[in-house]
Amino acid sequence: MKREAIFEFYRRLAEANPAPETELCYGNIYQLLVAVVLSAQATDAGVNKATRALFEVVRDPQAMIDLGEAALKQHVRTIGLYNTKAKNVIALSQLLMQRHSGTVPSDRDSLQALPGVGRKTANVVLNVALGAETFPVDTHVFRVCNRTGLAKGKTPAAVEAILERQTPAPFRVQAHHWLILQGRYTCKARTPECWRCVVTDLCAFRPKSAAPRQAVGTPVIGE
């Protein structure tokens, strides 16, 4: 996608949603970190449901350690891979206390040194909590970037590098949110909803999907 088209792509997404935000619920940066770790291969809605009661009693690493792994598992048992995730959350909480005085670090390398925290998770925390110009690439972002031609790459790292290099300045902080929401609600995995997409004419995907036909006998709104 050429530079002018990339700018227009983001401009339209920004016009449609001027203030995009993460759909994960959290009260502070530590809770955000925990929520993002739990969200791997899970929906934000599912994570929010599991953490609603958890975050009422756990607001910092020490409180999580005091809660303990067994009790944490009971809170998050509805989330996929909850056993491994609970173990990682306890371990990262211990490391935060030991190495960072209970404070979530603000650099990518230190974040990635925590159990269960990969590059994508670190980038999400830096972007959402600190407003850093990072470009986390999950399955939604990877699909949107390759399908539309915005940033075609064979790996998430390759897509991230292209986004980092080509995303125009006015859109860099919020680009991740627009792309993930586009993939989650419009540019869906099985059948992209091209008929209601604001960037469909800029997108390389072919053939475009058409709006579903109205069932016979269904009343038309306004008649």
Side-chain angles (χ1 to χ4, degrees):
M1 193 177 290
K2 295 182 179 180
R3 181 180 300 179
E4 295 79 7
I6 292 172
F7 189 96
E8 180 64 11
F9 187 101
Y10 282 116
R11 189 199 66 76
R12 293 186 194 178
L13 294 181
E15 183 177 56
N17 185 1
E21 298 179 343
T22 179
E23 294 185 321
L24 289 171
C25 296
Y26 65 97
N28 57 40
I29 189 172
Y30 171 71
Q31 290 184 341
L32 172 64
L33 174 61
V34 171
V36 179
V37 169
L38 293 174
S39 71
Q41 300 181 51
T43 66
D44 286 1
V47 172
N48 291 338
K49 183 177 180 180
T51 57
R52 188 174 296 116
L54 173 66
F55 287 165
E56 289 180 0
V57 295
V58 173
R59 295 189 57 82
D60 55 60
Q62 188 58 58
M64 186 69 77
I65 295 168
D66 293 342
L67 179 69
E69 186 176 329
L72 175 57
K73 286 181 179 179
Q74 289 303 305
H75 278 283
V76 301
R77 65 186 184 278
T78 57
I79 300 175
L81 305 175
Y82 75 94
N83 282 313
T84 299
K85 291 176 181 179
K87 187 182 296 293
N88 284 335
V89 167
I90 294 297
L92 72 82
S93 300
Q94 292 171 335
L95 222 56
L96 287 175
M97 294 302 299
Q98 294 167 7
R99 296 183 183 177
H100 304 284
S101 301
T103 301
V104 176
S106 58
D107 65 283
R108 185 186 286 113
D109 288 343
S110 296
L111 282 168
Q112 287 189 243
L114 299 172
V117 179
R119 186 176 180 86
K120 187 207 76 173
T121 295
N123 278 339
V124 171
V125 172
L126 293 173
N127 178 264
V128 174
L130 303 175
E133 293 182 355
T134 62
F135 300 86
V137 178
D138 68 352
T139 56
H140 295 299
V141 175
F142 187 79
R143 178 176 66 256
V144 169
C145 287
N146 276 284
R147 181 183 276 167
T148 63
L150 177 69
K152 299 186 73 172
K154 294 183 178 180
T155 66
V159 170
E160 180 186 344
I162 297 170
L163 289 174
E164 172 70 37
R165 186 171 64 250
Q166 295 188 352
T167 301
F171 311 113
R172 294 177 68 82
V173 173
Q174 295 173 313
H176 160 69
H177 296 299
W178 286 314
L179 294 174
I180 194 171
L181 292 172
Q182 182 75 359
R184 187 173 288 166
Y185 297 113
T186 304
C187 196
K188 299 176 182 179
R190 292 187 178 181
T191 306
E193 298 182 359
C194 304
W195 68 91
R196 64 181 190 86
C197 175
V198 297
V199 293
T200 187
D201 59 309
L202 303 173
C203 169
F205 178 71
R206 297 292 185 276
K208 304 294 187 185
S209 59
R213 297 183 64 180
Q214 188 176 35
V216 176
T218 301
V220 176
I221 294 176
E223 287 189 345

